[in-house]
Amino acid sequence: MTSETHAVPGIDYNRAFAQAIDRLHAEGRYRVFIDILRNKGMFPNARCFAGHNGPKPITVWCSNDYLAMGQHPKVIAAMEEALHDVGAGSGGTRNIGGTTHYHIDLETELADLHEKQGALLFTSGYVSNEATLSTLAKILPGCIIFSDELNHASMIAGIRNSGCEKRVFRHNDVEHLEALLAAEDPAVPKLIAFESVYSMDGDIAPIHAICDLADKYNALTYLDEVHAVGMYGPRGGGISERDDAARRLTIIEGTLGKAFGVMGGYIAADKQIIDVIRSYAPGFIFTTSLSPVLVSGALASVRHLKSSSAERDGQQAAAAKLKAMMRDAGLPVMDSTTHIVPLMVGDPVKAKRISDILLAEYGVYVQPINFPTVPRGTERLRFTPGPAHDEAMMTELVEALVEIWDRMELKLAA
Ligand SMILES: Cc1ncc(COP(=O)(O)O)c(C=O)c1O
């Protein structure tokens, strides 16, 4: 469409669009997608097509395929087998032809993983949060949702779309949560929504303390375990499994797109709640179900990680090693008790510049994380080392970072 087509007297649409993009450039947070291809079976090695002729080898340091399960031979074989057995897509919504036997098997597997009676698949973790939270609160007239201030955008969207009242409690602050709960009418339905691992800072919620409050004030609980499933707990059931809290939670939500390496989202809960969401949530009902190929891959991944801890152990060791190496080099690595390694920059333009230099000069790919994903002034680089990142890669990375810190006259700790 040409600009003439949009030229309606009194309304300059193109100008409004251009100004919106200009604002992002001015704040240094205009997003540039980096065009890559991962090399199957060789993760974290990949090829990059950005800014030069032909593909250039790079090391990926910011993938949420945390355990490289997207490259695992069992997962790939399961997907190939499903593709050749039943074809590409599901061909329908869950209600109209799109419930395959793979979907049923995976839901059974996920219910068992989280010690719940049932589970329900969605096309992504985002959709599972939005659809479940918006529907649940509508079913409970007068419901108030108590939401951690750092909850993910998909939970915030679900809460907003429910149209219910919300109270935001300070991040992981149980006292503040209790004050907010105590201020409400005991007869009003309540739901506490929070995450286990907060993926930008890498800290963990006090699940038992929050469940204690839920018991005391008769509230339901909704826990997003997107950055923990597959990675924590003896079978990969997340922090709620690790802390033996799964049975205390009303709903556990997870993704199949990060540690499980494929795509899709889910909730696990008792049968009645699953039945309600299945029956009322537009985001579940009115959309084509996940491809059986994806579901088959996810099933293989969930099953593998239930019985293998090698990937989890490798990831924890790699994260601890990288944090120690960064700290020893004086780099401003943030305190994180998890597998996530955030390096504070505090400025969007500098964060982008560091990331650009790493990619162009060192073949290191790490995406800068800017507002609104993190608060302004806390812009950072977020590293996600996994079992396949070896010591030589870490040494190369830390040396590159120190050189860039020097070059840009940023502060290194003594
Ligand atoms: C905390 C949290 N919840 C949900 C999601 C959405 O999951 P998915 O990528 O499967 O849509 C994300 C994605 O980054 C997330 O960080």
Side-chain angles (χ1 to χ4, degrees):
M1 225 180 272
T2 65
S3 54
E4 279 79 8
T5 7
H6 280 166
V8 178
I11 310 176
D12 190 343
Y13 293 105
N14 286 330
R15 189 149 171 267
F17 296 141
Q19 281 174 343
I21 295 297
D22 286 348
R23 280 198 295 278
L24 297 179
H25 281 296
E27 290 179 31
R29 59 187 187 92
Y30 179 73
R31 290 180 169 175
V32 179
F33 296 154
I34 305 297
D35 177 357
I36 65 169
L37 283 176
R38 300 201 289 164
N39 302 330
K40 184 170 73 119
M42 297 180 65
F43 187 73
N45 297 316
R47 287 156 281 167
C48 179
F49 295 82
H52 33 70
N53 299 328
K56 169 184 158 178
I58 56 164
T59 308
V60 180
W61 278 100
C62 57
S63 176
N64 280 341
D65 185 359
Y66 291 120
L67 303 177
M69 289 305 291
Q71 309 276 316
H72 197 285
K74 280 189 193 171
V75 174
I76 291 167
M79 294 180 80
E80 282 174 349
E81 206 180 302
L83 179 66
H84 293 294
D85 192 25
V86 301
S90 76
T93 63
R94 283 297 294 270
N95 191 41
I96 309 177
T99 294
T100 74
H101 198 59
Y102 293 106
H103 290 77
I104 302 296
D105 277 352
L106 181 53
E107 287 174 344
T108 306
E109 201 70 52
L110 291 167
D112 171 72
L113 179 66
H114 295 296
E115 302 167 66
K116 298 290 175 201
Q117 292 171 349
L120 198 63
L121 289 172
F122 296 80
T123 46
S124 72
Y126 188 103
V127 174
S128 58
N129 275 337
E130 194 286 325
T132 307
L133 285 168
S134 63
T135 302
L136 207 65
K138 275 191 198 134
I139 301 279
L140 300 166
C143 182
I144 301 175
I145 299 189
F146 298 78
S147 175
D148 187 288
E149 68 179 335
L150 293 190
N151 274 344
H152 188 256
S154 52
M155 297 168 87
I156 295 168
I159 295 167
R160 189 181 309 117
N161 294 343
S162 76
C164 73
E165 296 254 337
K166 94 168 162 181
R167 308 280 179 266
V168 176
F169 59 96
R170 285 191 293 273
H171 178 52
N172 281 347
D173 185 336
V174 181
E175 276 175 27
H176 189 216
L177 172 60
E178 172 147 32
L180 293 176
L181 284 163
E184 300 302 335
D185 178 351
V188 162
K190 300 176 185 70
L191 173 69
I192 306 170
F194 62 117
E195 301 179 21
S196 57
V197 171
Y198 286 83
S199 74
M200 292 302 149
D201 292 353
D203 57 342
I204 294 179
I207 299 181
H208 277 294
I210 290 177
C211 288
D212 290 345
L213 288 182
D215 291 346
K216 185 169 170 187
Y217 293 93
N218 195 18
L220 304 179
T221 49
Y222 183 98
L223 179 65
D224 174 317
E225 287 255 42
V226 158
H227 292 278
V229 288
M231 292 172 280
Y232 295 87
R235 303 186 309 155
I239 300 291
S240 55
E241 188 195 23
R242 187 197 74 174
D243 293 357
D244 199 16
R247 259 170 283 173
R248 299 191 70 191
L249 293 151
T250 316
I251 299 178
I252 296 174
E253 183 270 345
T255 184
L256 303 165
K258 300 190 195 290
F260 292 127
V262 188
M263 191 183 177
Y266 65 89
I267 56 165
D270 71 24
K271 274 209 160 74
Q272 199 170 40
I273 289 181
I274 296 298
D275 208 15
V276 163
I277 302 302
R278 187 185 74 84
S279 308
Y280 282 93
F284 174 79
I285 299 171
F286 300 107
T287 188
T288 301
S289 68
L290 281 171
S291 156
V293 178
L294 295 171
V295 179
S296 175
L299 186 58
S301 185
V302 171
R303 281 184 176 152
H304 175 79
L305 289 174
K306 269 185 174 172
S307 58
S308 168
S309 287
E311 293 80 6
R312 285 186 277 281
D313 295 345
Q315 181 196 36
Q316 289 299 322
K321 175 107 199 137
L322 183 62
K323 279 185 241 179
M325 287 171 74
M326 285 184 172
R327 218 172 286 123
D328 289 349
L331 290 161
V333 61
M334 292 167 65
D335 269 341
S336 137
T337 48
T338 62
H339 58 280
I340 290 158
V341 183
L343 194 59
M344 184 55 77
V345 180
D347 179 289
V349 177
K350 287 180 184 158
K352 170 87 172 73
R353 173 108 184 95
I354 298 167
S355 156
D356 286 347
I357 298 174
L358 281 170
L359 187 63
E361 298 182 26
Y362 293 94
V364 162
Y365 175 35
V366 63
Q367 197 69 35
I369 309 286
N370 291 338
F371 177 83
T373 309
V374 293
R376 289 179 209 275
T378 72
E379 292 80 5
R380 65 198 68 177
L381 303 171
R382 174 182 175 274
F383 297 88
T384 52
H389 290 90
D390 61 28
E391 195 169 335
M393 291 172 185
M394 294 187 199
T395 305
E396 202 176 33
L397 170 67
V398 170
E399 284 176 4
L401 285 168
V402 168
E403 187 280 314
I404 296 167
W405 242 251
D406 257 7
R407 192 193 313 183
M408 291 179 60
E409 297 177 2
L410 297 168
K411 247 176 61 198
L412 285 171

